[in-house]
Each structure stands twice: as structure tokens, then as C-alpha cells.
Amino acid sequence: MSIEISRAASLASAALDYRAARQDMIASNIANADTPFYKPRDIHFEDALAAKKAEIFQNDSKKLKMAMTDDSHIAFKNEKTSYKPTMYFRDGHMARNDGNSVDIDVETTEMSKNSIMFNALVMAKKKDGAIFKSVIEASQKIS
């Protein structure tokens, strides 16, 4: 049995995982700034998070659900929940003579933006946990 602190906690955890993966990719791009023919990579995960958010906060009480009356029926698969993060090669930067298209200014800017978002998510998770902790402490004083 697991205790769910809030419905948003799992969403924040998934977002932290994606942010950590993006940080690793940007660090890899910076590390390969002098590697010939290296193309910078990035990850797109916003659609996957939006699908997960819709799944978590969705109110299905008024929605008609599909019924399966026989085991041989094909199970319903919600297309919106099947979003997965995608890795892509970042375009738009001029390649140098050695074919490398890593722009250190772009990479450090993206790393700063990602770090700010990562720290904001960590602070949100801490606040969420602090609220849960204060409720437990307050309930101990009642009895």
C-alpha cells in the first residue's frame, strides 16, 4: 500500500526525471563541442507531461466509458496517454568547418533554463511534502 501525498506529486516526479534527462543531454552536447560532425541533441517531453496531467486530473464521471463484454475484444487504448518523450537533433545552427553544430551560447542558455525549471520543481515537491508533514503534526496534537 502506498500513500499518495497529492495527485500532482507523481506528475512533478515525472517532470523531474525528464528535466534530469534533458540536463544530461545538454551536458553531453557541451562535452562534445569539439567533436567533428557532432549534432546537438535535445528531448521533447512537454506533450508527454500534458498527457499525464490530463490523465491525472481528468474527471471521467460524466464521460461514457467503453464497455468490454467479452475477453476476446481488443482492449481500448487511450491515444492521449501513449505520448512518450522524443529525442531530436537540434537544428538551426550553422555547422562549423568540421561539421559540428554545437553552439556553446545556446547550450549554456538552455542549461540555465533547465536548471531553473528543475529547481522550481524541487521546491514545489518540498512544499508539497511540508504541507503533508504539517497535517500529520497537527493531527498528533488533536488526540
Side-chain angles (χ1 to χ4, degrees):
M1 181 178 147
S2 66
I3 297 174
E4 183 181 27
I5 295 174
S6 72
R7 292 189 300 173
S10 64
L11 187 64
S13 295
L16 278 171
D17 290 342
Y18 293 140
R19 290 281 168 199
R22 185 160 194 250
Q23 193 79 2
D24 289 344
M25 282 191 177
I26 294 170
S28 175
N29 292 341
I30 292 172
N32 288 295
D34 292 328
T35 304
F37 302 107
Y38 184 83
K39 305 279 184 226
R41 296 176 295 161
D42 206 344
I43 185 170
H44 181 77
F45 55 86
E46 288 81 5
D47 291 340
L49 278 179
K52 186 169 179 127
K53 177 186 162 204
E55 179 185 323
I56 291 172
F57 294 109
Q58 185 178 24
N59 185 3
D60 284 342
S61 62
K62 296 180 181 176
K63 191 175 182 180
L64 182 61
K65 295 182 180 177
M66 183 179 287
M68 282 183 56
T69 57
D70 191 90
D71 290 339
S72 61
H73 289 166
I74 297 173
F76 175 70
K77 183 178 178 185
N78 191 351
E79 295 295 324
K80 290 181 179 176
T81 60
S82 62
Y83 286 116
K84 295 194 184 286
T86 54
M87 198 233 11
Y88 63 97
F89 293 102
R90 206 180 300 144
D91 291 337
H93 304 291
M94 294 292 291
R96 296 186 312 236
N97 288 340
D98 62 356
N100 187 315
S101 60
V102 174
D103 186 346
I104 292 294
D105 292 336
V106 170
E107 299 301 326
T108 53
T109 302
E110 291 298 323
M111 182 175 267
S112 297
K113 288 193 297 189
N114 196 53
S115 294
I116 289 169
M117 294 300 292
F118 187 88
N119 289 335
L121 284 167
V122 168
M123 294 304 294
K125 282 196 64 99
K126 281 183 180 177
K127 290 264 185 195
D128 201 31
I131 291 170
F132 188 70
K133 182 179 176 184
S134 69
V135 168
I136 290 174
E137 289 173 355
S139 67
Q140 290 173 344
K141 293 176 184 173
I142 291 174
S143 55

